[in-house]
Amino acid sequence: MCNHWFDLMSSRHPVLALSKLNPAKHKEAIDFLKSVMSIFKSLKIGERGDWKPVQTGVVMATASVLDIQEELLDAGHQFLLTSRLTQDCLENLFSVVRLKNPVPSPLAFTCALKIISIAQFMKPSHENHGSYQSDDRDFAVDFLSQPVKLPASHDPELMEVEISEAKSVEELSKAELNSLYYLVGYCLHSVIKNETLCDTCLQDMSTTDSTSPASSTLTSLKEFKKDSLQHVSDRTFSMMVKVEAMFQGFSESTLMTEQNLKGILVQKAEELTHDDVYSTCHNIKQKLLAKYFNVRLQIFCKQLRIKRKQVIEKSRAGGELGSRSTAMRKLVKGVK
């Protein structure tokens, strides 16, 4: 019974659609839907026979379909595909939003919704074994499944930026060195987890000695369980100290506004650390640098956004005094 009720309530083909072209079949379908309503109205669930939300849902949905089909068929329509009355489109939307991030934050959900709306990317997630069927609309673009390809060519003038602009190693404070060691350990752990590496690559980059170098204090304090955090070798950390100093030196230059910034920084870092030779079997050095700049640029953009927000708030400071009522409310808040 439930299976036939679901077929009638979500019909996608004229064979199961509600139609008066065959009066006998139409009457049979309507009588069946009304009998389902009667069954659920008289249904007793549990020992006390309580009324459950599922009964309300079935009765309301069935009654709505019966009223809608009567109005539309009397208006001259040949049949009604009841699947057009379901929430499949909404479920498809949520399926696509969670395609990249199964548990998105409010901000991530909003950004994904904007992208989907612009791209008209309403195709269900068949790659992840989704249970949703495609409707008959045209998909404008396969937006989210296409990888972003940045131009590989670099501006020659930008590539001539001198590495000497970078800060010296001595300018990095003890707190910065400890934070940098922790960040490099996180990046190396991510590379080890997601990339194919050999034992030689791991021996070149990592270490099991949690006391060396001295900048590993923060990582050791955060390591509540032994070997739960990644430690990097002295040679690797020394190389990344030079890379971080270079990044800080470039943070105020026009280089930070370029489109293929990550690729440029990786190339500059390879030039700076050309004396630090690692095994080339799996390009561990390049993978670590790429991951590091990916994370470092996210931190940089967050810091830049905070600074710009502070500048805007400072420029707006005192503006509320231009309105008498707003100024009064501001002054009253200071009264205790």
Side-chain angles (χ1 to χ4, degrees):
M1 179 192 72
C2 291
N3 185 54
H4 186 46
W5 174 83
F6 183 81
D7 290 340
L8 291 176
M9 293 292 291
S10 59
S11 59
R12 296 179 177 273
H13 193 274
V15 173
L16 288 175
L18 298 177
S19 173
K20 290 186 177 181
L21 297 178
N22 189 335
K25 290 290 185 181
H26 178 259
K27 185 178 184 303
E28 180 184 348
I30 299 301
D31 291 342
F32 174 78
L33 293 177
K34 289 181 179 180
S35 66
V36 172
M37 290 178 58
S38 300
I39 292 174
F40 273 84
K41 285 180 180 180
S42 59
L43 192 63
K44 304 296 183 181
I45 300 177
E47 295 180 357
R48 297 183 303 177
D50 295 332
W51 180 270
K52 297 296 183 179
V54 63
Q55 296 172 265
T56 302
V58 171
V59 172
M60 289 183 61
T62 307
S64 299
V65 168
L66 290 175
D67 292 340
I68 292 173
Q69 66 89 25
E70 182 178 358
E71 182 176 348
L72 293 178
L73 295 181
D74 290 343
H77 296 281
Q78 293 186 356
F79 56 86
L80 171 63
L81 295 177
T82 51
S83 62
R84 296 297 186 261
L85 307 177
T86 63
Q87 296 187 17
D88 286 0
C89 287
L90 184 61
E91 293 179 3
N92 289 344
L93 174 63
F94 289 150
S95 177
V96 175
V97 168
R98 292 183 171 88
L99 179 62
K100 300 297 181 183
N101 185 3
V103 187
S105 63
L107 178 59
F109 183 89
T110 303
C111 294
L113 184 60
K114 290 180 180 179
I115 295 175
I116 293 168
S117 300
I118 295 173
Q120 298 181 17
F121 186 72
M122 298 294 293
K123 189 175 182 180
S125 172
H126 292 305
E127 301 84 43
N128 293 342
H129 308 287
S131 59
Y132 308 112
Q133 297 182 6
S134 302
D135 54 26
D136 56 358
R137 73 178 64 208
D138 294 328
F139 302 122
V141 288
D142 200 8
F143 190 78
L144 295 181
S145 63
Q146 297 297 327
V148 178
K149 294 184 179 180
L150 297 175
S153 59
H154 300 151
D155 190 339
E157 295 182 0
L158 291 173
M159 296 312 300
E160 293 176 359
V161 176
E162 294 294 334
I163 298 179
S164 59
E165 293 183 20
K167 287 185 177 181
S168 62
V169 175
E170 289 75 12
E171 291 185 41
L172 296 178
S173 65
K174 184 178 180 179
E176 287 179 318
L177 290 173
N178 275 271
S179 299
L180 177 62
Y181 185 91
Y182 179 77
L183 180 61
V184 174
Y186 164 78
C187 295
L188 180 58
H189 174 75
S190 179
V191 172
I192 294 174
K193 181 179 179 181
N194 299 310
E195 302 290 345
T196 301
L197 302 174
C198 62
D199 293 338
T200 304
C201 297
L202 297 179
Q203 292 174 1
D204 285 347
M205 285 286 182
S206 61
T207 182
T208 57
D209 186 4
S210 60
T211 61
S212 179
S215 301
S216 63
T217 305
L218 176 62
T219 302
S220 299
L221 289 174
K222 294 174 70 69
E223 193 175 26
F224 298 105
K225 183 179 178 182
K226 184 175 176 59
D227 298 330
S228 60
L229 297 180
Q230 183 66 51
H231 290 270
V232 298
S233 63
D234 292 350
R235 186 163 69 103
T236 301
F237 182 63
S238 300
M239 177 187 71
M240 298 308 296
V241 168
K242 293 186 288 184
V243 172
E244 171 62 19
M246 180 201 75
F247 181 88
Q248 293 188 17
F250 288 149
S251 60
E252 301 295 334
S253 68
T254 56
L255 186 70
M256 306 301 287
T257 61
E258 289 304 308
Q259 184 180 19
N260 192 21
L261 177 59
K262 177 182 172 182
I264 297 175
L265 289 174
V266 170
Q267 183 170 342
K268 287 303 226 180
E270 289 180 343
E271 294 176 3
L272 176 66
T273 61
H274 65 278
D275 294 333
D276 298 296
V277 181
Y278 291 85
S279 58
T280 59
C281 53
H282 295 95
N283 296 323
I284 180 66
K285 178 181 176 181
Q286 185 177 15
K287 291 178 179 178
L288 177 62
L289 290 174
K291 179 62 181 179
Y292 175 77
F293 283 121
N294 188 39
V295 177
R296 191 63 180 87
L297 286 172
Q298 292 180 15
I299 299 174
F300 173 77
C301 291
K302 183 178 181 180
Q303 294 172 338
L304 186 62
R305 184 168 62 250
I306 293 174
K307 290 181 180 179
R308 290 183 177 179
K309 184 178 180 180
Q310 292 174 347
V311 172
I312 294 175
E313 291 177 350
K314 186 177 180 180
S315 64
R316 293 177 178 175
E320 62 273 11
L321 300 180
S323 170
R324 181 180 299 178
S325 59
T326 306
M328 181 181 65
R329 285 194 293 269
K330 179 176 177 62
L331 294 175
V332 169
K333 286 182 179 180
V335 178
K336 296 183 180 179

Coordinates of all heavy atoms in Angstrom, one line a residue, residues 18-75:
L18 N -1.8 11.5 -12.5 CA -3.3 11.6 -12.3 C -3.9 12.3 -13.5 O -3.5 13.4 -13.8 CB -3.5 12.4 -11.0 CG -3.0 11.8 -9.7 CD1 -3.3 12.8 -8.5 CD2 -3.6 10.5 -9.5
S19 N -4.8 11.6 -14.2 CA -5.3 12.1 -15.5 C -6.7 11.6 -15.6 O -7.1 10.5 -15.2 CB -4.4 11.6 -16.6 OG -5.0 12.0 -17.9
K20 N -7.5 12.4 -16.3 CA -8.9 12.0 -16.6 C -9.1 11.5 -18.0 O -10.2 11.3 -18.5 CB -9.8 13.2 -16.4 CG -10.0 13.7 -15.0 CD -11.0 14.8 -14.8 CE -11.3 15.1 -13.4 NZ -12.3 16.2 -13.2
L21 N -7.9 11.2 -18.7 CA -8.0 10.6 -20.0 C -8.5 9.2 -20.0 O -9.2 8.7 -20.9 CB -6.6 10.7 -20.7 CG -6.0 12.0 -20.9 CD1 -4.6 11.9 -21.5 CD2 -6.9 12.9 -21.9
N22 N -8.3 8.6 -18.9 CA -8.9 7.2 -18.6 C -9.6 7.3 -17.3 O -9.1 7.2 -16.2 CB -7.7 6.2 -18.5 CG -8.3 4.8 -18.4 OD1 -9.4 4.5 -18.0 ND2 -7.5 3.8 -18.8
P23 N -11.0 7.6 -17.4 CA -11.8 7.9 -16.2 C -11.7 6.7 -15.2 O -11.7 7.0 -13.9 CB -13.2 8.1 -16.7 CG -13.0 8.5 -18.1 CD -11.8 7.8 -18.6
A24 N -11.7 5.5 -15.6 CA -11.6 4.3 -14.7 C -10.4 4.3 -13.9 O -10.4 4.1 -12.7 CB -11.8 3.0 -15.5
K25 N -9.2 4.5 -14.6 CA -7.9 4.5 -13.8 C -7.9 5.7 -12.9 O -7.3 5.6 -11.8 CB -6.8 4.6 -14.9 CG -6.6 3.3 -15.7 CD -6.0 2.2 -14.7 CE -5.7 1.0 -15.6 NZ -5.2 -0.1 -14.7
H26 N -8.4 6.9 -13.3 CA -8.4 8.1 -12.5 C -9.2 7.8 -11.2 O -8.8 8.2 -10.1 CB -9.0 9.3 -13.3 CG -9.0 10.5 -12.4 ND1 -10.2 11.0 -11.9 CD2 -8.1 11.4 -12.1 CE1 -10.0 12.1 -11.2 NE2 -8.7 12.4 -11.3
K27 N -10.4 7.2 -11.4 CA -11.3 7.0 -10.2 C -10.6 6.0 -9.3 O -10.6 6.1 -8.0 CB -12.6 6.4 -10.7 CG -13.6 6.2 -9.5 CD -15.0 5.7 -10.1 CE -16.0 5.6 -8.9 NZ -15.5 4.7 -7.9
E28 N -9.9 5.0 -9.9 CA -9.2 4.0 -9.0 C -8.1 4.6 -8.2 O -7.9 4.3 -7.0 CB -8.7 2.9 -10.0 CG -7.9 1.8 -9.2 CD -7.3 0.8 -10.2 OE1 -7.6 0.8 -11.4 OE2 -6.4 0.0 -9.7
A29 N -7.3 5.5 -8.8 CA -6.2 6.2 -8.1 C -6.8 7.1 -7.0 O -6.2 7.2 -5.9 CB -5.4 7.0 -9.1
I30 N -7.9 7.9 -7.3 CA -8.4 8.8 -6.3 C -9.0 8.0 -5.2 O -8.8 8.4 -4.0 CB -9.5 9.7 -7.0 CG1 -8.9 10.5 -8.1 CG2 -10.2 10.5 -5.9 CD1 -7.8 11.4 -7.6
D31 N -9.7 6.9 -5.5 CA -10.3 6.1 -4.4 C -9.2 5.5 -3.5 O -9.3 5.4 -2.3 CB -11.1 5.0 -5.0 CG -12.4 5.5 -5.6 OD1 -12.8 6.7 -5.3 OD2 -13.0 4.8 -6.4
F32 N -8.1 5.1 -4.1 CA -7.0 4.6 -3.4 C -6.4 5.6 -2.4 O -6.1 5.3 -1.2 CB -5.9 4.0 -4.3 CG -4.6 3.5 -3.6 CD1 -4.6 2.3 -3.0 CD2 -3.5 4.3 -3.5 CE1 -3.5 1.9 -2.3 CE2 -2.4 3.9 -2.9 CZ -2.4 2.7 -2.3
L33 N -6.2 6.8 -3.0 CA -5.6 7.9 -2.1 C -6.5 8.2 -1.0 O -6.1 8.5 0.2 CB -5.3 9.1 -3.0 CG -4.2 9.0 -4.0 CD1 -4.1 10.2 -4.9 CD2 -2.9 8.7 -3.4
K34 N -7.8 8.3 -1.2 CA -8.8 8.5 -0.1 C -8.8 7.4 0.9 O -8.9 7.7 2.1 CB -10.2 8.7 -0.7 CG -10.3 10.0 -1.5 CD -11.7 10.2 -2.0 CE -11.9 11.5 -2.8 NZ -13.3 11.6 -3.4
S35 N -8.6 6.2 0.4 CA -8.5 5.1 1.4 C -7.3 5.1 2.3 O -7.3 4.8 3.5 CB -8.6 3.7 0.7 OG -7.4 3.5 -0.1
V36 N -6.2 5.6 1.7 CA -5.0 5.8 2.5 C -5.2 6.9 3.6 O -4.8 6.7 4.7 CB -3.8 6.2 1.6 CG1 -2.6 6.6 2.4 CG2 -3.4 5.0 0.6
M37 N -5.9 7.9 3.2 CA -6.2 9.0 4.2 C -7.0 8.4 5.3 O -6.8 8.7 6.5 CB -6.9 10.1 3.5 CG -6.0 11.0 2.6 SD -7.0 12.3 1.8 CE -7.6 13.2 3.2
S38 N -8.0 7.6 5.0 CA -8.9 7.0 6.0 C -8.1 6.1 6.9 O -8.3 6.1 8.2 CB -10.0 6.2 5.3 OG -10.8 7.1 4.5
I39 N -7.2 5.3 6.3 CA -6.4 4.4 7.1 C -5.5 5.1 8.1 O -5.4 4.8 9.3 CB -5.5 3.4 6.2 CG1 -6.4 2.5 5.4 CG2 -4.5 2.7 7.0 CD1 -5.7 1.7 4.4
F40 N -4.8 6.2 7.7 CA -3.9 6.9 8.5 C -4.7 7.7 9.6 O -4.2 8.0 10.7 CB -3.0 7.8 7.7 CG -1.8 7.1 7.2 CD1 -1.8 6.3 6.1 CD2 -0.6 7.2 8.0 CE1 -0.6 5.7 5.7 CE2 0.6 6.5 7.5 CZ 0.5 5.8 6.4
K41 N -5.9 8.1 9.2 CA -6.7 8.9 10.2 C -7.2 7.9 11.4 O -7.2 8.4 12.5 CB -8.0 9.5 9.6 CG -7.7 10.7 8.7 CD -9.0 11.2 8.1 CE -8.7 12.5 7.3 NZ -9.9 13.0 6.6
S42 N -7.4 6.7 11.1 CA -7.9 5.7 12.1 C -6.8 4.9 12.7 O -7.0 4.1 13.5 CB -8.9 4.8 11.5 OG -8.4 4.1 10.4
L43 N -5.5 5.2 12.3 CA -4.4 4.4 12.7 C -4.1 4.7 14.2 O -4.1 5.9 14.6 CB -3.1 4.7 11.8 CG -1.9 3.8 11.9 CD1 -2.3 2.4 11.5 CD2 -0.8 4.4 11.1
K44 N -3.8 3.7 14.9 CA -3.4 3.8 16.3 C -2.0 3.3 16.5 O -1.6 2.2 16.1 CB -4.3 3.0 17.2 CG -5.8 3.3 17.1 CD -6.1 4.7 17.6 CE -7.6 5.0 17.5 NZ -7.9 6.4 17.9
I45 N -1.1 4.2 17.0 CA 0.3 3.9 17.1 C 0.7 3.8 18.5 O 0.4 4.8 19.3 CB 1.2 4.9 16.3 CG1 0.8 5.0 14.9 CG2 2.7 4.6 16.5 CD1 1.5 6.0 14.1
G46 N 1.3 2.8 18.9 CA 1.8 2.6 20.3 C 0.7 2.0 21.2 O -0.5 1.8 20.8
E47 N 1.0 1.8 22.4 CA 0.0 1.2 23.4 C -1.1 2.2 23.7 O -2.3 1.8 23.9 CB 0.8 0.8 24.7 CG 1.8 -0.3 24.5 CD 2.5 -0.6 25.8 OE1 2.2 0.0 26.8 OE2 3.3 -1.6 25.8
R48 N -0.8 3.5 23.7 CA -1.8 4.5 24.0 C -2.6 4.9 22.8 O -3.6 5.7 22.9 CB -1.2 5.7 24.7 CG -0.6 5.3 26.1 CD -0.1 6.6 26.8 NE 0.9 7.3 25.9 CZ 1.5 8.4 26.3 NH1 1.1 9.0 27.4 NH2 2.3 9.0 25.5
G49 N -2.1 4.5 21.6 CA -2.8 4.9 20.4 C -2.7 6.4 20.1 O -3.6 7.1 19.7
D50 N -1.4 7.0 20.3 CA -1.2 8.4 20.1 C -1.3 8.8 18.7 O -1.0 8.0 17.8 CB 0.1 8.8 20.7 CG 0.1 8.7 22.3 OD1 -1.0 8.8 22.8 OD2 1.2 8.4 22.8
W51 N -1.6 10.0 18.4 CA -1.5 10.6 17.0 C -0.1 11.0 16.8 O 0.4 11.9 17.5 CB -2.5 11.7 16.9 CG -2.5 12.4 15.5 CD1 -1.8 13.4 15.1 CD2 -3.3 12.0 14.4 NE1 -2.0 13.7 13.8 CE2 -3.0 12.8 13.3 CE3 -4.3 11.0 14.2 CZ2 -3.6 12.8 12.1 CZ3 -4.9 10.9 13.0 CH2 -4.6 11.8 11.9
K52 N 0.5 10.5 15.7 CA 1.9 10.8 15.4 C 2.0 11.8 14.2 O 1.1 11.9 13.4 CB 2.6 9.5 15.0 CG 2.7 8.5 16.2 CD 3.5 9.1 17.4 CE 3.6 8.1 18.5 NZ 4.4 8.6 19.6
P53 N 3.2 12.5 14.2 CA 3.4 13.5 13.1 C 3.3 12.9 11.7 O 2.9 13.5 10.7 CB 4.8 14.0 13.3 CG 4.9 13.9 14.8 CD 4.2 12.6 15.2
V54 N 3.7 11.6 11.6 CA 3.6 10.9 10.2 C 2.2 10.9 9.7 O 2.0 11.0 8.5 CB 4.3 9.5 10.3 CG1 3.5 8.6 11.3 CG2 4.4 8.9 9.0
Q55 N 1.3 10.7 10.6 CA -0.1 10.7 10.2 C -0.6 12.0 9.7 O -1.3 12.1 8.6 CB -1.0 10.2 11.4 CG -0.8 8.8 11.9 CD -1.5 8.5 13.1 OE1 -1.0 8.6 14.2 NE2 -2.8 8.1 13.0
T56 N -0.2 13.1 10.4 CA -0.5 14.4 9.9 C 0.1 14.7 8.5 O -0.5 15.2 7.6 CB 0.0 15.5 10.9 OG1 -0.5 15.2 12.2 CG2 -0.3 16.9 10.5
G57 N 1.4 14.3 8.3 CA 2.0 14.5 7.1 C 1.4 13.8 5.9 O 1.2 14.4 4.8
V58 N 1.0 12.5 6.1 CA 0.4 11.7 5.0 C -1.0 12.3 4.7 O -1.3 12.5 3.5 CB 0.3 10.2 5.4 CG1 -0.5 9.5 4.4 CG2 1.7 9.6 5.5
V59 N -1.8 12.6 5.7 CA -3.1 13.1 5.5 C -3.1 14.5 4.8 O -3.8 14.7 3.8 CB -3.9 13.2 6.8 CG1 -5.2 13.9 6.6 CG2 -4.1 11.8 7.4
M60 N -2.2 15.4 5.2 CA -2.1 16.7 4.6 C -1.6 16.6 3.2 O -2.1 17.3 2.3 CB -1.2 17.6 5.5 CG -1.8 18.0 6.8 SD -0.7 19.1 7.7 CE -0.7 20.5 6.6
A61 N -0.6 15.8 3.0 CA 0.0 15.7 1.6 C -1.0 15.1 0.7 O -1.2 15.6 -0.5 CB 1.3 14.9 1.7
T62 N -1.7 14.1 1.1 CA -2.7 13.4 0.2 C -3.8 14.4 -0.1 O -4.3 14.5 -1.3 CB -3.2 12.1 0.8 OG1 -2.0 11.3 1.2 CG2 -4.0 11.4 -0.2
A63 N -4.3 15.0 0.9 CA -5.5 15.9 0.7 C -5.1 17.1 -0.2 O -5.9 17.5 -1.1 CB -5.9 16.5 2.1
S64 N -3.9 17.6 -0.1 CA -3.4 18.7 -0.9 C -3.3 18.2 -2.4 O -3.8 19.0 -3.3 CB -2.0 19.2 -0.5 OG -2.1 19.7 0.9
V65 N -2.8 17.0 -2.6 CA -2.7 16.5 -4.0 C -4.1 16.3 -4.6 O -4.3 16.6 -5.8 CB -1.9 15.2 -4.0 CG1 -2.0 14.5 -5.4 CG2 -0.4 15.5 -3.7
L66 N -5.0 15.8 -3.8 CA -6.4 15.6 -4.3 C -7.0 16.9 -4.7 O -7.7 17.0 -5.8 CB -7.2 14.9 -3.3 CG -6.9 13.4 -3.0 CD1 -7.7 12.9 -1.9 CD2 -7.1 12.6 -4.3
D67 N -6.8 18.0 -3.9 CA -7.4 19.3 -4.2 C -6.8 19.9 -5.5 O -7.4 20.5 -6.3 CB -7.3 20.2 -3.0 CG -8.2 19.7 -1.9 OD1 -9.1 19.0 -2.1 OD2 -7.9 20.2 -0.7
I68 N -5.4 19.8 -5.5 CA -4.7 20.4 -6.6 C -5.0 19.7 -7.9 O -5.3 20.4 -9.0 CB -3.2 20.3 -6.4 CG1 -2.8 21.3 -5.2 CG2 -2.4 20.8 -7.6 CD1 -1.4 21.2 -4.7
Q69 N -5.1 18.4 -7.9 CA -5.3 17.6 -9.2 C -6.8 17.9 -9.7 O -7.0 18.0 -10.9 CB -5.1 16.1 -9.0 CG -6.0 15.4 -8.0 CD -7.3 14.9 -8.7 OE1 -7.3 14.7 -9.9 NE2 -8.4 14.8 -7.9
E70 N -7.7 18.1 -8.8 CA -9.1 18.4 -9.2 C -9.1 19.7 -9.8 O -9.8 19.9 -10.9 CB -10.0 18.3 -8.0 CG -11.5 18.6 -8.3 CD -12.4 18.4 -7.1 OE1 -11.8 18.1 -6.0 OE2 -13.6 18.7 -7.3
E71 N -8.5 20.7 -9.3 CA -8.5 22.1 -9.8 C -7.8 22.1 -11.2 O -8.3 22.8 -12.1 CB -7.9 23.0 -8.8 CG -7.9 24.5 -9.3 CD -7.3 25.4 -8.3 OE1 -7.1 25.0 -7.1 OE2 -7.0 26.6 -8.6
L72 N -6.6 21.5 -11.3 CA -5.9 21.6 -12.5 C -6.5 20.8 -13.7 O -6.6 21.2 -14.8 CB -4.4 21.1 -12.3 CG -3.6 21.9 -11.4 CD1 -2.2 21.3 -11.2 CD2 -3.4 23.4 -11.9
L73 N -7.0 19.6 -13.4 CA -7.6 18.8 -14.4 C -9.0 19.4 -14.9 O -9.3 19.3 -16.1 CB -7.9 17.3 -13.9 CG -6.6 16.5 -13.6 CD1 -7.0 15.1 -13.1 CD2 -5.7 16.5 -14.7
D74 N -9.7 20.0 -14.0 CA -10.9 20.7 -14.4 C -10.6 21.9 -15.2 O -11.5 22.4 -16.0 CB -11.7 21.1 -13.1 CG -12.3 19.9 -12.4 OD1 -12.4 18.8 -13.1 OD2 -12.7 20.0 -11.2
A75 N -9.4 22.5 -15.0 CA -9.0 23.7 -15.8 C -8.6 23.3 -17.2 O -8.3 24.2 -18.0 CB -7.9 24.4 -15.1

